[in-house]
């Protein structure tokens, strides 16, 4: 196991010192390994992608595991809805090596996780799993909404939540929330004052299929290369199929031989 991996207290100490954290959403061991090699502080990995291989690839990165919710709200083949379901899932991922657990469920469920000494990451602002109540827009641009975000922040802090994804919130509101709360604020489109800046790998590397958010920034454009590789993959598969149909594959070098005398002995035994 990695000895330099930060703990919750290390992340909190970075907030106290005013150090800025980098955070990425990753879905493959290759992405996780690249993030670890680049020195990224924190990774967000949905539970459906998190296993021992992903933990190993993540190296010294602090890993936030997303507990099942919304469109993939199942754990071990069962729907996940109750506090017991969330708790079972969280302890499962803890056993693999998760460092914190994203949960956008009710306060009651979040509190059960916190009461069991699990580092919980909540969500403030634009919350995708609750999108039907807000639509896809910035949250907190009115005094009423900004106050509601502050009350939500206070409630999360009260029940023992460790941090929160702070998504698409006005920068001055984000600054107030970050500076007046012990929560580690993981900013996505929340301006420069959040404790961490959180982006999706698909945006950073330019191969996203989904709509790129305003706060997204592309540092490398992988899309043309990935398109080229896909065309080459298809061409290779086509050549393989044709080879099979024409008898060009397999050839002698792909085949396991047997000595003539051994084969003849075999035939005599089975044909007797």
């Amino acid at each position: 196991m990695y000895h330099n991996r930060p703990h919750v207290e290390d992340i909190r100490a970075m907030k106290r010192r005013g150090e800025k954290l980098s955070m990425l959403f990753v879905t493959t061991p290759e992405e996780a390994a690249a993030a670890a090699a680049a020195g990224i502080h924190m990774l967000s990995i949905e539970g459906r992608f998190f296993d021992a291989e992903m933990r190993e690839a993540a190296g010294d990165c602090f890993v936030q595991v997303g507990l099942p919710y919304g469109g993939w709200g199942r754990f071990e083949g069962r729907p996940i809805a109750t506090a017991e379901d969330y708790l079972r899932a969280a302890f499962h991922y803890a056993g693999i090596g998760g460092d914190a657990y994203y949960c956008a469920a009710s306060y009651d469920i979040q509190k059960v996780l916190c009461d069991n000494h699990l580092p919980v990451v909540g969500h403030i602002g634009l919350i995708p799993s609750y999108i039907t109540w807000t639509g896809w827009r910035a949250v907190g641009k009115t005094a009423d909404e900004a106050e509601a975000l502050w009350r939500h922040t206070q409630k999360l802090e009260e029940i023992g939540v460790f941090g929160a994804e702070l998504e698409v919130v006005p920068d001055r509101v984000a600054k107030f929330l970050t500076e007046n709360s012990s929560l580690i604020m993981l900013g996505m489109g929340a301006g420069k004052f959040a404790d961490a800046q959180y982006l999706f790998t698909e945006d950073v590397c330019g191969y996203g299929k989904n709509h790129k958010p305003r706060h997204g920034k592309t540092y490398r454009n992988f899309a043309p290369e990935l398109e080229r590789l896909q065309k080459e993959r298809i061409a290779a598969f086509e050549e393989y199929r044709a080879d099979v149909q024409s008898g060009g594959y397999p050839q002698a070098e792909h085949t396991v031989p047997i000595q003539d005398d051994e084969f003849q002995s075999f035939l005599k035994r089975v044909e007797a």
Side-chain angles (χ1 to χ4, degrees):
M1 189 54 65
Y2 294 85
H3 300 294
N4 295 323
R5 205 167 96 208
H7 300 292
V8 165
E9 179 52 32
D10 298 312
I11 301 296
R12 283 177 163 164
M14 292 181 71
K15 176 184 175 84
R16 290 193 296 268
R17 294 193 297 266
E19 298 178 35
K20 295 299 181 182
L21 294 152
S22 55
M23 183 174 184
L24 285 172
F25 180 91
V26 300
T27 60
T28 68
E30 292 79 13
E31 291 176 351
I40 298 297
H41 299 100
M42 302 176 72
L43 299 183
S44 176
I45 305 175
E46 286 187 3
R48 57 180 166 170
F49 302 126
F50 187 63
D51 57 17
E53 183 183 9
M54 282 289 274
R55 177 62 267 184
E56 180 70 18
D60 288 333
C61 296
F62 182 97
V63 173
Q64 165 191 301
V65 181
L67 300 182
Y69 77 100
W72 70 285
R74 303 181 70 82
F75 176 66
E76 295 181 342
R78 296 174 44 197
I80 181 167
T82 68
E84 183 179 345
D85 293 329
Y86 275 94
L87 193 60
R88 187 174 66 254
F91 277 122
H92 168 79
Y93 296 125
I96 299 173
D99 297 302
Y101 309 92
Y102 171 87
C103 179
S106 69
Y107 292 136
D108 289 343
I109 288 176
Q110 290 173 316
K111 188 174 188 302
V112 167
L113 297 176
C114 293
D115 286 348
N116 279 272
H117 311 290
L118 291 162
V120 175
V121 174
H123 206 139
I124 299 168
L126 176 65
I127 305 175
S129 53
Y130 303 156
I131 203 64
T132 192
W133 303 105
T134 60
W136 294 99
R137 64 171 179 82
V139 179
K141 294 178 70 174
T142 68
D144 285 346
E145 282 195 350
E147 182 182 3
L149 296 181
W150 172 233
R151 301 306 174 200
H152 183 36
T153 299
Q154 290 179 305
K155 184 64 176 179
L156 292 178
E157 191 171 27
E158 175 189 327
I159 65 177
V161 168
F162 154 64
E165 294 185 9
L166 187 61
E167 186 166 356
V168 195
V169 170
D171 59 348
R172 287 190 289 176
V173 175
K175 183 176 188 291
F176 178 88
L177 300 179
T178 301
E179 293 179 351
N180 290 278
S181 169
S182 65
L183 298 183
I184 306 301
M185 293 297 184
L186 312 173
M188 300 181 72
K192 65 182 181 180
F193 301 109
D195 297 307
Q197 294 301 322
Y198 177 13
L199 288 177
F200 277 49
T201 295
E202 65 179 44
D203 293 326
V204 171
C205 294
Y207 52 70
K209 301 293 185 182
N210 299 314
H211 169 72
K212 180 183 173 183
R214 177 170 57 182
H215 60 267
K217 183 174 180 179
T218 300
Y219 290 83
R220 294 288 189 279
N221 186 6
F222 284 28
E225 181 65 11
L226 291 176
E227 183 178 355
R228 184 191 70 80
L229 289 173
Q230 179 67 355
K231 288 179 179 178
E232 287 295 300
R233 184 181 290 114
I234 292 170
F237 290 172
E238 288 174 340
E239 291 175 19
Y240 163 65
R241 183 201 66 201
D243 225 9
V244 170
Q245 291 175 331
S246 69
Y249 177 86
Q251 296 181 356
E253 64 266 30
H254 309 119
T255 304
V256 178
I258 183 172
Q259 295 293 327
D260 290 344
D261 58 341
E262 294 293 339
F263 186 66
Q264 290 303 319
S265 176
F266 160 71
L267 290 179
K268 287 179 181 179
R269 294 182 186 185
V270 299
E271 292 174 352

